[in-house]
Amino acid sequence: MVGLLTALAGAWPAAAMEALSERDLAAVQGRDGFYFNLENFSLSGQLSLTYTAPDGATLKFGDLALSRSDDPAHLQDDPYALWIQRRGNGLADVLHLDLPQNAAGLQRWQAAADLAVTPAGGSTQALGALVLQDLALYGGGVQMSTEPGSGSGSGVLLGVALRADLGALSWRARGRADSSEALTLSGIHLGAVDDSGNFTQQPWSLADVTSQPAVLQVIGDGQGGQVLQVKVDWSTADAGAAKAGLLIDNVRFDSAANGALDLGSSRISSFQINYLDMRLRPGN
Protein backbone atom coordinates (compact mmCIF):
# COMPACT_ATOMS: atom_id res chain seq x y z
CA MET A 1 0.00 0.00 0.00
CA VAL A 2 1.05 3.57 -0.52
CA GLY A 3 1.47 5.60 2.62
CA LEU A 4 0.69 9.18 1.68
CA LEU A 5 0.95 12.60 3.20
CA THR A 6 3.56 12.68 5.91
CA ALA A 7 3.29 16.37 6.63
CA LEU A 8 6.32 18.36 7.73
CA ALA A 9 5.05 20.59 10.47
CA GLY A 10 6.20 21.57 13.92
CA ALA A 11 4.26 20.79 17.06
CA TRP A 12 1.36 23.18 17.54
CA PRO A 13 -0.49 23.73 20.81
CA ALA A 14 -3.88 22.01 20.96
CA ALA A 15 -6.77 24.25 20.01
CA ALA A 16 -10.44 23.87 19.22
CA MET A 17 -11.28 23.50 15.53
CA GLU A 18 -13.16 26.41 13.98
CA ALA A 19 -15.11 26.59 10.76
CA LEU A 20 -13.64 28.93 8.10
CA SER A 21 -15.75 31.31 6.08
CA GLU A 22 -15.71 31.14 2.28
CA ARG A 23 -13.59 34.30 2.22
CA ASP A 24 -11.02 32.71 4.56
CA LEU A 25 -10.95 29.52 2.50
CA ALA A 26 -10.37 31.50 -0.70
CA ALA A 27 -7.25 33.03 0.87
CA VAL A 28 -5.64 29.67 1.73
CA GLN A 29 -2.46 29.01 -0.30
CA GLY A 30 -0.15 26.00 -0.43
CA ARG A 31 2.99 28.10 -0.13
CA ASP A 32 5.33 25.33 1.01
CA GLY A 33 4.16 22.67 -1.41
CA PHE A 34 2.98 19.13 -0.97
CA TYR A 35 5.09 16.58 0.91
CA PHE A 36 4.57 12.81 0.80
CA ASN A 37 6.30 9.49 1.23
CA LEU A 38 5.93 6.05 -0.33
CA GLU A 39 6.07 3.95 2.81
CA ASN A 40 5.70 0.20 2.13
CA PHE A 41 5.15 0.84 -1.60
CA SER A 42 4.70 -2.24 -3.76
CA LEU A 43 3.11 -2.99 -7.11
CA SER A 44 2.70 -6.37 -8.79
CA GLY A 45 0.28 -8.31 -10.93
CA GLN A 46 -0.63 -8.50 -14.60
CA LEU A 47 0.59 -5.02 -15.47
CA SER A 48 2.43 -4.76 -18.78
CA LEU A 49 4.00 -2.09 -20.97
CA THR A 50 4.08 -2.65 -24.74
CA TYR A 51 5.87 -0.69 -27.46
CA THR A 52 4.39 -1.19 -30.94
CA ALA A 53 6.46 -0.28 -34.00
CA PRO A 54 4.82 1.19 -37.13
CA ASP A 55 5.08 -2.21 -38.87
CA GLY A 56 3.17 -3.94 -36.05
CA ALA A 57 6.14 -5.54 -34.27
CA THR A 58 6.00 -5.25 -30.48
CA LEU A 59 8.29 -5.28 -27.46
CA LYS A 60 6.54 -6.17 -24.21
CA PHE A 61 7.55 -5.74 -20.57
CA GLY A 62 5.10 -8.05 -18.83
CA ASP A 63 4.03 -8.82 -15.26
CA LEU A 64 5.81 -5.79 -13.85
CA ALA A 65 6.77 -5.93 -10.18
CA LEU A 66 7.97 -2.86 -8.28
CA SER A 67 8.65 -2.30 -4.60
CA ARG A 68 10.62 -0.04 -2.29
CA SER A 69 12.27 -0.58 1.08
CA ASP A 70 12.06 2.25 3.63
CA ASP A 71 14.31 4.20 5.97
CA PRO A 72 12.22 4.06 9.18
CA ALA A 73 14.28 6.76 10.90
CA HIS A 74 13.60 9.33 8.17
CA LEU A 75 10.09 8.75 6.87
CA GLN A 76 8.88 12.19 7.93
CA ASP A 77 11.94 14.42 7.66
CA ASP A 78 13.04 13.24 4.19
CA PRO A 79 9.95 13.13 1.96
CA TYR A 80 9.21 13.67 -1.69
CA ALA A 81 8.38 17.34 -2.30
CA LEU A 82 6.01 18.69 -4.94
CA TRP A 83 6.12 22.50 -5.01
CA ILE A 84 5.85 25.52 -7.30
CA GLN A 85 8.61 28.08 -7.77
CA ARG A 86 7.27 31.50 -8.66
CA ARG A 87 9.87 33.28 -10.82
CA GLY A 88 8.17 36.59 -11.62
CA ASN A 89 9.40 39.02 -14.31
CA GLY A 90 6.95 37.50 -16.78
CA LEU A 91 8.55 34.05 -16.52
CA ALA A 92 6.34 31.00 -16.13
CA ASP A 93 6.23 29.26 -12.76
CA VAL A 94 8.23 26.05 -12.33
CA LEU A 95 6.76 22.83 -10.94
CA HIS A 96 9.35 20.87 -8.92
CA LEU A 97 9.26 17.21 -7.89
CA ASP A 98 12.22 16.74 -5.53
CA LEU A 99 13.33 13.24 -4.57
CA PRO A 100 14.36 12.33 -1.00
CA GLN A 101 18.00 12.96 -0.13
CA ASN A 102 18.23 9.34 1.10
CA ALA A 103 21.59 9.97 2.80
CA ALA A 104 21.70 6.52 4.40
CA GLY A 105 20.82 4.80 1.12
CA LEU A 106 18.12 2.69 2.80
CA GLN A 107 15.34 3.68 0.40
CA ARG A 108 15.95 1.15 -2.34
CA TRP A 109 13.86 0.05 -5.30
CA GLN A 110 13.43 -3.48 -6.64
CA ALA A 111 11.85 -4.25 -10.03
CA ALA A 112 11.35 -7.13 -12.44
CA ALA A 113 9.65 -7.60 -15.81
CA ASP A 114 9.31 -10.44 -18.32
CA LEU A 115 10.48 -9.59 -21.85
CA ALA A 116 8.86 -10.72 -25.09
CA VAL A 117 8.98 -9.64 -28.73
CA THR A 118 6.51 -10.26 -31.53
CA PRO A 119 7.83 -9.70 -35.07
CA ALA A 120 5.44 -8.18 -37.57
CA GLY A 121 3.14 -11.02 -38.63
CA GLY A 122 5.10 -13.52 -36.52
CA SER A 123 4.76 -15.41 -33.26
CA THR A 124 5.63 -14.08 -29.81
CA GLN A 125 9.07 -15.01 -28.52
CA ALA A 126 9.97 -14.92 -24.83
CA LEU A 127 13.29 -13.22 -24.03
CA GLY A 128 13.67 -13.98 -20.35
CA ALA A 129 13.41 -11.28 -17.72
CA LEU A 130 14.96 -7.99 -16.69
CA VAL A 131 15.69 -7.74 -12.94
CA LEU A 132 16.71 -4.57 -11.11
CA GLN A 133 18.02 -4.81 -7.55
CA ASP A 134 18.71 -2.20 -4.87
CA LEU A 135 18.31 1.05 -6.81
CA ALA A 136 19.04 3.96 -4.46
CA LEU A 137 18.31 7.52 -5.64
CA TYR A 138 19.97 10.42 -3.84
CA GLY A 139 18.22 13.76 -4.28
CA GLY A 140 17.67 15.34 -7.67
CA GLY A 141 14.27 15.28 -9.32
CA VAL A 142 12.24 16.77 -12.15
CA GLN A 143 11.31 20.35 -13.05
CA MET A 144 8.55 21.36 -15.44
CA SER A 145 7.49 24.71 -16.87
CA THR A 146 5.84 26.25 -19.92
CA GLU A 147 7.44 29.05 -21.84
CA PRO A 148 8.16 29.81 -25.50
CA GLY A 149 11.72 28.83 -26.35
CA SER A 150 13.78 31.26 -28.39
CA GLY A 151 13.52 30.12 -31.99
CA SER A 152 12.22 26.68 -31.06
CA GLY A 153 8.50 27.23 -30.67
CA SER A 154 6.56 26.57 -27.50
CA GLY A 155 6.24 23.40 -25.50
CA VAL A 156 6.88 21.88 -22.11
CA LEU A 157 10.26 22.76 -20.61
CA LEU A 158 11.89 20.07 -18.47
CA GLY A 159 14.76 19.82 -16.04
CA VAL A 160 16.11 16.49 -14.78
CA ALA A 161 18.78 15.81 -12.13
CA LEU A 162 19.86 12.32 -11.07
CA ARG A 163 22.29 10.56 -8.77
CA ALA A 164 21.89 6.80 -8.46
CA ASP A 165 23.52 3.66 -7.12
CA LEU A 166 22.26 0.35 -8.46
CA GLY A 167 23.09 -2.94 -6.78
CA ALA A 168 22.59 -5.03 -9.91
CA LEU A 169 20.88 -5.01 -13.29
CA SER A 170 20.41 -8.48 -14.79
CA TRP A 171 19.05 -10.01 -17.94
CA ARG A 172 18.05 -13.57 -17.03
CA ALA A 173 17.42 -15.84 -20.02
CA ARG A 174 15.40 -18.39 -18.04
CA GLY A 175 13.13 -15.99 -16.20
CA ARG A 176 13.31 -13.71 -13.20
CA ALA A 177 13.58 -16.53 -10.63
CA ASP A 178 16.47 -18.36 -12.37
CA SER A 179 19.90 -16.69 -12.49
CA SER A 180 21.75 -19.70 -13.93
CA GLU A 181 21.87 -18.06 -17.40
CA ALA A 182 22.36 -14.32 -17.02
CA LEU A 183 24.25 -11.17 -17.86
CA THR A 184 24.63 -9.02 -14.74
CA LEU A 185 26.02 -5.52 -14.27
CA SER A 186 26.63 -5.03 -10.56
CA GLY A 187 27.57 -1.95 -8.56
CA ILE A 188 26.43 0.73 -11.02
CA HIS A 189 27.09 4.33 -9.92
CA LEU A 190 25.93 7.44 -11.80
CA GLY A 191 26.31 11.05 -10.68
CA ALA A 192 27.95 14.43 -11.21
CA VAL A 193 31.76 14.63 -11.44
CA ASP A 194 34.28 17.47 -11.23
CA ASP A 195 36.75 18.47 -13.95
CA SER A 196 39.08 15.65 -12.86
CA GLY A 197 36.38 12.99 -13.18
CA ASN A 198 35.87 12.52 -9.44
CA PHE A 199 32.33 11.94 -8.17
CA THR A 200 31.03 15.00 -6.29
CA GLN A 201 28.22 13.05 -4.54
CA GLN A 202 25.75 15.45 -6.19
CA PRO A 203 23.02 14.74 -8.79
CA TRP A 204 23.93 15.07 -12.44
CA SER A 205 21.85 17.76 -14.16
CA LEU A 206 20.84 16.42 -17.57
CA ALA A 207 18.79 19.56 -18.15
CA ASP A 208 17.82 22.59 -16.08
CA VAL A 209 14.70 24.69 -16.58
CA THR A 210 16.51 27.94 -15.76
CA SER A 211 19.95 27.56 -17.36
CA GLN A 212 19.24 25.08 -20.18
CA PRO A 213 15.92 23.21 -20.34
CA ALA A 214 14.97 20.17 -22.31
CA VAL A 215 12.06 20.92 -24.63
CA LEU A 216 9.16 18.53 -25.18
CA GLN A 217 7.08 19.77 -28.11
CA VAL A 218 5.20 18.82 -31.26
CA ILE A 219 6.81 20.01 -34.51
CA GLY A 220 6.27 19.47 -38.21
CA ASP A 221 8.24 16.71 -39.92
CA GLY A 222 8.64 18.62 -43.19
CA GLN A 223 6.31 16.20 -45.00
CA GLY A 224 2.97 17.47 -43.78
CA GLY A 225 2.97 15.35 -40.63
CA GLN A 226 3.93 15.93 -37.01
CA VAL A 227 6.42 14.38 -34.59
CA LEU A 228 6.97 14.59 -30.85
CA GLN A 229 10.40 16.12 -30.23
CA VAL A 230 12.57 15.87 -27.11
CA LYS A 231 15.48 18.29 -27.44
CA VAL A 232 18.39 19.27 -25.21
CA ASP A 233 20.91 21.82 -26.47
CA TRP A 234 23.65 23.03 -24.13
CA SER A 235 25.66 24.67 -26.92
CA THR A 236 24.35 28.13 -26.00
CA ALA A 237 24.94 27.77 -22.23
CA ASP A 238 27.95 29.69 -20.93
CA ALA A 239 29.13 26.90 -18.62
CA GLY A 240 28.40 24.07 -21.07
CA ALA A 241 26.72 20.78 -20.29
CA ALA A 242 27.06 19.27 -16.83
CA LYS A 243 29.60 16.45 -16.50
CA ALA A 244 28.65 12.97 -15.29
CA GLY A 245 30.54 9.82 -14.42
CA LEU A 246 29.52 6.17 -14.73
CA LEU A 247 31.16 3.32 -12.80
CA ILE A 248 30.29 -0.38 -13.05
CA ASP A 249 31.99 -2.50 -10.41
CA ASN A 250 31.66 -5.80 -12.27
CA VAL A 251 30.31 -7.32 -15.49
CA ARG A 252 29.45 -11.00 -15.13
CA PHE A 253 28.18 -13.77 -17.39
CA ASP A 254 26.61 -16.83 -15.76
CA SER A 255 26.13 -20.04 -17.71
CA ALA A 256 24.84 -23.40 -16.51
CA ALA A 257 27.10 -25.11 -19.06
CA ASN A 258 30.28 -23.01 -18.86
CA GLY A 259 30.17 -21.57 -15.35
CA ALA A 260 30.68 -17.91 -14.44
CA LEU A 261 32.88 -15.36 -16.16
CA ASP A 262 33.73 -12.07 -14.40
CA LEU A 263 35.02 -9.32 -16.67
CA GLY A 264 35.79 -6.86 -13.88
CA SER A 265 34.96 -3.18 -13.67
CA SER A 266 34.32 -0.51 -16.26
CA ARG A 267 34.32 3.26 -15.91
CA ILE A 268 33.58 6.38 -17.91
CA SER A 269 35.27 9.09 -15.85
CA SER A 270 33.45 12.00 -17.48
CA PHE A 271 30.86 12.45 -20.21
CA GLN A 272 28.35 15.10 -21.28
CA ILE A 273 25.16 15.29 -23.29
CA ASN A 274 25.73 18.49 -25.23
CA TYR A 275 23.01 18.00 -27.81
CA LEU A 276 20.12 15.57 -28.07
CA ASP A 277 17.31 15.66 -30.62
CA MET A 278 14.95 12.68 -30.38
CA ARG A 279 11.80 12.55 -32.53
CA LEU A 280 8.97 10.08 -32.09
CA ARG A 281 6.72 9.49 -35.08
CA PRO A 282 3.17 8.14 -34.73
CA GLY A 283 2.40 4.83 -36.35
CA ASN A 284 -0.21 4.33 -39.06
Side-chain angles (χ1 to χ4, degrees):
M1 296 180 65
V2 180
L4 293 178
L5 297 178
T6 47
L8 294 183
W12 291 88
M17 297 183 65
E18 298 181 2
L20 294 177
S21 67
E22 292 185 1
R23 177 176 297 181
D24 291 334
L25 287 173
V28 173
Q29 298 184 31
R31 295 179 181 272
D32 296 325
F34 178 65
Y35 299 86
F36 62 97
N37 213 308
L38 298 178
E39 182 179 3
N40 298 323
F41 178 91
S42 66
L43 175 68
S44 62
Q46 296 181 342
L47 174 64
S48 300
L49 298 176
T50 302
Y51 168 76
T52 303
D55 64 358
T58 64
L59 171 63
K60 180 180 179 181
F61 295 80
D63 293 336
L64 292 173
L66 183 66
S67 64
R68 195 199 78 170
S69 58
D70 299 320
D71 183 355
H74 297 283
L75 284 175
Q76 295 191 22
D77 61 4
D78 189 22
Y80 292 81
L82 182 64
W83 59 284
I84 295 177
Q85 174 190 358
R86 303 192 183 280
R87 294 193 289 178
N89 298 323
L91 297 174
D93 296 341
V94 179
L95 178 67
H96 291 256
L97 174 60
D98 296 338
L99 302 181
Q101 294 299 308
N102 193 23
L106 297 180
Q107 294 184 15
R108 300 181 182 182
W109 291 91
Q110 319 293 330
D114 298 329
L115 304 180
V117 295
T118 305
S123 301
T124 299
Q125 303 175 22
L127 294 181
L130 193 66
V131 179
L132 178 149
Q133 297 172 291
D134 291 333
L135 170 61
L137 302 173
Y138 302 89
V142 178
Q143 309 162 338
M144 182 180 299
S145 186
T146 55
E147 184 179 352
S150 177
S152 62
S154 61
V156 177
L157 306 187
L158 300 173
V160 180
L162 176 67
R163 178 188 162 207
D165 288 343
L166 179 58
L169 179 63
S170 301
W171 172 67
R172 299 180 178 179
R174 295 180 174 177
R176 66 182 68 186
D178 188 342
S179 60
S180 61
E181 297 283 349
L183 166 62
T184 302
L185 308 180
S186 60
I188 303 173
H189 312 277
L190 174 67
V193 297
D194 59 22
D195 291 338
S196 300
N198 300 311
F199 284 106
T200 65
Q201 309 306 316
Q202 298 297 318
W204 170 42
S205 180
L206 289 79
D208 185 271
V209 163
T210 301
S211 59
Q212 187 56 60
V215 181
L216 177 64
Q217 60 186 352
V218 177
I219 62 172
D221 63 0
Q223 301 176 355
Q226 293 182 322
V227 296
L228 180 65
Q229 181 189 44
V230 181
K231 181 178 179 181
V232 180
D233 183 4
W234 284 91
S235 62
T236 58
D238 294 337
K243 299 179 178 65
L246 176 65
L247 170 63
I248 302 174
D249 292 338
N250 190 44
V251 179
R252 177 186 178 99
F253 289 90
D254 285 288
S255 169
N258 301 314
L261 175 63
D262 289 312
L263 300 181
S265 64
S266 178
R267 176 164 186 166
I268 302 175
S269 296
S270 181
F271 66 92
Q272 299 167 284
I273 297 180
N274 290 294
Y275 185 82
L276 172 68
D277 188 348
M278 181 171 63
R279 306 185 183 194
L280 304 177
R281 303 178 184 275
N284 297 325

